[in-house]
Amino acid sequence: MNRKHRHGPPRGSAKRVALPRLQREHWPRWLEIAQDRESWKASFEEWQDEVEARAERLKRAGLEVVWIDLEPEPFIAWCQSRGYPNDAESRNRFAAEQVGNIPPPLRPNAP
């Protein structure tokens, strides 16, 4: 049997990766509320450059990047409803839930 080997995801079914995106006007608020702010870049521009470089690496790997805009107050409410800290893992989890990459918890406050 002659099989063709493919590299990467089949056409039309590219794997989607959700990345959280912050807005410049909310940067000061994020610095106030993020529990992992000590690991953040010094400026919004540095943070944006880093996340855009990450997106480019994912695209070069054949993945579809889907940007999920985060707003501080709704995100805080989302974290509190699930018992999650406001950190990078939770921001990534939120983004992944929005595109269906991971299901939401079966019950509130379940990590």
Side-chain angles (χ1 to χ4, degrees):
M1 178 187 296
N2 187 7
R3 290 186 177 179
K4 290 184 179 182
H5 296 278
R6 290 186 184 191
H7 298 283
R11 268 187 217 158
S13 66
K15 185 170 180 179
R16 296 172 3 149
V17 176
L19 292 179
R21 179 168 49 194
L22 310 180
Q23 302 302 317
R24 180 186 315 275
E25 63 267 19
H26 297 301
W27 184 253
R29 180 68 175 133
W30 283 110
L31 291 176
E32 290 173 2
I33 63 172
Q35 292 172 289
D36 59 347
R37 64 186 158 273
E38 71 282 346
S39 66
W40 284 35
K41 298 294 180 184
S43 71
F44 175 82
E45 291 75 17
E46 289 179 74
W47 172 84
Q48 188 175 33
D49 289 346
E50 182 178 280
V51 75
E52 286 177 1
R54 180 179 173 201
E56 285 305 313
R57 287 191 303 273
L58 292 167
K59 289 176 186 177
R60 282 195 304 273
L63 301 172
E64 176 189 357
V65 173
V66 178
W67 292 102
I68 303 298
D69 291 327
L70 293 181
E71 292 187 24
E73 305 315 317
F75 181 72
I76 291 170
W78 179 89
C79 287
Q80 290 173 344
S81 74
R82 289 165 170 75
Y84 295 153
N86 180 350
D87 62 9
E89 183 178 347
S90 295
R91 290 186 293 276
N92 288 322
R93 174 180 285 275
F94 176 87
E97 279 186 23
Q98 303 312 299
V99 296
N101 284 357
I102 60 172
L106 295 176
R107 64 189 194 290
N109 298 320

